[in-house]
Amino acid sequence: MRIHRDLTHLPALRRAVITIGTFDGVHSGHRYIIQQLQETAAACDGETVIITFDPHPREVLQPGGPPVKLLTTLDEKIELLSKEGIDHLVIVPFTRAFSELSAQAYLEEFLIEKFNPHTIIIGYDHRFGHNREGGLELLEAEQNRYGFQLVEIPQQVVHDLAVSSTKIRKSLQEGNIQLANELLGYPYFVEGTVIHGDKMGRQLGFPTANIEVSDVRKLIPVEGIYAIRVYLDRQSNPLNGVMSIGTRPTFNGADLRVEAHIFDFSQEIYDKVIRVELISYIRANQKFDNIDALVAQMHKDSQEARTVLAS
């Protein structure tokens, strides 16, 4: 997959079959669209092109609104899409000026001039241009003039896509990791740098990797204890473990921490970027009366995580 970030240096595309979207999560619904893209391109001997935006349009259009929480960072999205056999991923810098293009200018100066599409695959409710004034009706009116074919993604499919994204976020925020992973088609993961903490876990006999998540926009699942698999790098075999997301209520903590205990592991991995896949939600956080009760529960959590990961 070729990645393009500069619209002024796009290559000449061969019968480009394009689709446009945020593709956050690259979940199972997105893979339906990707399949449509690939089948259409194969039929016309064309190239597949996904157009996405960075930053997320809502960050530009609603700067004072609620923070955007992403299922996948841009780098993660690139990685997942690269596995799907796409020919070209175009990452469009989303700016206020770009958002103010009229729908006609968006069509002519962006889609036609930059991509010269053979086919545009688009959702029935997709809107574009200033104040979202353009849509399927404009593309239908102009397709003969500009010589592109139009494939509409039906309402039910678009609805399912929206429901999938919403349902995945809701599932992660409720601790329903199994459902989130099923909808994604892969285990949800967070990635970050191992930083120094206060070494409390080590004192309790459960040394942990304190993870500073790489992107503040990444959605962190609900606080609690999880069975996990850890990758020390992209080529390594996964290591099993248990993870806590929370404020450590037994110690009256205030800051949210993401801490992974890797089973049967003693290497120093400070400053290393690791990936943690969430496999199962074990329990909610709770405040214990004393350290002994906490340690006893940590042993139970570890045993449950081992059992889950072994199945």
Side-chain angles (χ1 to χ4, degrees):
M1 183 178 77
R2 296 178 63 184
I3 301 166
H4 312 279
R5 300 172 186 263
D6 184 351
L7 291 176
T8 63
H9 289 90
L10 290 176
L13 300 168
R14 186 186 78 253
R15 290 182 287 281
V17 179
I18 71 173
T19 193
I20 307 155
T22 57
F23 283 81
D24 186 28
V26 193
H27 56 62
S28 53
H30 292 136
R31 285 191 287 279
Y32 169 85
I33 293 178
I34 290 169
Q35 183 181 351
Q36 295 287 104
L37 199 69
Q38 291 169 326
E39 290 175 357
T40 304
C44 69
D45 190 28
E47 295 183 285
T48 52
V49 182
I50 287 179
I51 301 169
T52 193
F53 304 100
D54 185 63
H56 192 287
R58 200 162 72 241
E59 292 181 81
V60 175
L61 299 176
Q62 302 173 18
V68 172
K69 288 299 179 183
L70 301 173
L71 297 172
T72 42
T73 67
L74 180 59
D75 286 344
E76 291 166 358
K77 187 193 302 185
I78 290 169
E79 177 191 339
L80 290 166
L81 287 172
S82 70
K83 297 175 182 177
E84 297 297 328
I86 297 298
D87 295 315
H88 301 272
L89 175 64
V90 181
I91 302 165
V92 178
F94 196 89
T95 63
R96 176 66 65 175
F98 182 82
S99 75
E100 291 174 352
L101 283 176
S102 69
Q104 194 70 36
Y106 178 97
L107 171 60
E108 294 175 357
E109 298 171 20
F110 177 58
L111 292 183
I112 302 301
E113 184 178 315
K114 302 298 184 185
F115 301 97
N116 187 27
H118 175 281
T119 303
I120 299 174
I121 298 179
I122 201 165
Y124 82 101
D125 62 346
H126 183 81
R127 308 302 299 176
F128 56 85
H130 188 52
N131 291 329
R132 297 167 52 84
E133 62 189 11
L136 199 64
E137 68 283 352
L138 175 61
L139 295 176
E140 287 174 337
E142 297 285 18
Q143 68 178 116
N144 290 335
R145 177 183 175 189
Y146 290 109
F148 60 83
Q149 296 179 24
L150 193 59
V151 176
E152 177 187 353
I153 302 167
Q155 180 174 355
Q156 183 58 48
V157 173
V158 172
H159 176 73
D160 289 346
L161 280 170
V163 167
S164 291
S165 294
T166 301
K167 207 168 184 180
I168 291 166
R169 289 186 179 85
K170 187 170 184 287
S171 299
L172 292 170
Q173 290 162 342
E174 294 177 347
N176 193 342
I177 296 301
Q178 284 90 340
L179 178 58
N181 291 350
E182 181 182 331
L183 292 170
L184 284 166
Y186 59 87
Y188 189 71
F189 61 87
V190 295
E191 193 168 271
T193 305
V194 179
I195 61 174
H196 288 274
D198 52 21
K199 312 295 191 292
M200 183 62 70
R202 184 171 298 180
Q203 295 173 40
L204 300 178
F206 288 86
T208 60
N210 196 352
I211 302 166
E212 184 176 65
V213 177
S214 301
D215 192 322
V216 295
R217 297 172 298 173
K218 177 79 173 183
L219 189 153
I220 303 300
V222 68
E223 295 183 29
I225 309 301
Y226 294 84
I228 58 169
R229 291 200 175 96
V230 179
Y231 292 82
L232 301 183
D233 57 57
R234 301 289 169 84
Q235 286 73 45
S236 68
N237 292 322
L239 303 170
N240 292 339
V242 64
M243 182 166 74
S244 166
I245 299 175
T247 59
R248 303 191 304 169
T250 301
F251 301 104
N252 297 313
D255 57 320
L256 186 75
R257 298 197 183 187
V258 179
E259 298 178 282
H261 169 66
I262 304 172
F263 299 144
D264 311 313
F265 183 82
S266 58
Q267 296 177 31
E268 293 285 359
I269 53 174
Y270 292 116
D271 300 321
K272 195 172 186 66
V273 176
I274 66 172
R275 173 171 294 186
V276 178
E277 292 181 345
L278 285 76
I279 305 302
S280 181
Y281 179 81
I282 294 177
R283 65 171 176 86
N285 283 338
Q286 62 187 103
K287 184 171 183 175
F288 293 91
D289 295 333
N290 54 63
I291 300 298
D292 289 342
L294 170 61
V295 171
Q297 184 61 53
M298 291 168 75
H299 280 288
K300 290 179 183 177
D301 295 339
S302 294
Q303 186 54 55
E304 182 170 346
R306 287 178 186 273
T307 301
V308 167
L309 294 166
S311 57

